[in-house]
Amino acid sequence: MRPWTPGLFRRQGYAATGMKQIVAEAGAPYGSAYHFFPDGKAQLGEEVIRTSGAAYLELIGGLFADPGADPAAATAAAFTGAAETLRELDFADPCPIATAALEVAGTHEGLRRATADVFASWIEALAARYAGAGIGTDTARDTAGSVIALLEGAFMLARAAHDTAPVRTAARAAAAVVRDALESG
């Protein structure tokens, strides 16, 4: 069930995806859902959010694989790559947890916490990359938070417009934020 659930949650949202649909997509017996996830869809949802978030986190490492690369340029390149991926996905599913995060923030504490933890892990990983490039620890964390916020907001605007322009615009803004942080140390 794990391989099918992330795509369903990303496309339909958490609330609109039922256990019966997940089990049907997986081709598994219905009873197996509650055997492996005794707390039901909420338990599966938290696991999917955390697993999907960890997979996405690996992308951050890949984007900054060259320790000598200019972090502002690497950030802009990450956004440009994200814009291409968004276009290739026909403006669906750009972020593995955003749909769930928006949907459950005020209604399900366990899922809200899972999405908050994933976003925090992304920010910390990116902050570590920026700190490694010479940005002070607190500034690196603020910069990483701003970059993630720019990307997530750009995804939402791009999906609504069915156009990658917001992501490309945000790429320039994110690079400027990183350059400013590098200059201030």
Side-chain angles (χ1 to χ4, degrees), residues 127 131 135-144:
I135 299 173
T137 304
D138 290 339
T139 302
R141 188 172 292 110
D142 290 346
T143 301

Side-chain angles (χ1 to χ4, degrees), residues 35-148:
H35 172 75
F36 291 105
F37 302 99
D39 292 331
K41 187 170 88 167
Q43 181 183 4
L44 176 60
E46 285 185 43
E47 185 174 315
V48 164
I49 287 167
R50 291 182 189 284
T51 303
S52 298
Y56 207 67
L57 180 59
E58 289 180 24
L59 294 175
I60 292 173
L63 295 170
F64 293 88
D66 179 3
D70 171 26
T75 299
F79 276 66
T80 301
E84 283 305 307
T85 299
L86 184 59
R87 186 188 52 72
E88 290 166 5
L89 293 171
D90 197 27
F91 298 89
D93 308 332
C95 174
I97 67 165
T99 302
L102 291 170
E103 184 179 21
V104 302
T107 60
H108 194 290
E109 182 59 19
L111 294 172
R112 185 211 57 79
R113 196 172 337 103
T115 58
D117 290 348
V118 168
F119 282 128
S121 74
W122 296 351
I123 290 168
E124 288 305 313
L126 194 52
R129 297 291 181 166
Y130 291 150
I135 299 173
T137 304
D138 290 339
T139 302
R141 188 172 292 110
D142 290 346
T143 301
S146 295
V147 167
I148 296 294

Side-chain angles (χ1 to χ4, degrees), residues 128-175:
R129 297 291 181 166
Y130 291 150
I135 299 173
T137 304
D138 290 339
T139 302
R141 188 172 292 110
D142 290 346
T143 301
S146 295
V147 167
I148 296 294
L150 280 164
L151 182 61
E152 292 297 329
F155 278 157
M156 189 181 312
L157 294 172
R159 289 182 75 189
H162 215 257
D163 185 354
T164 61
V167 180
R168 294 180 191 288
T169 299
R172 292 187 295 277

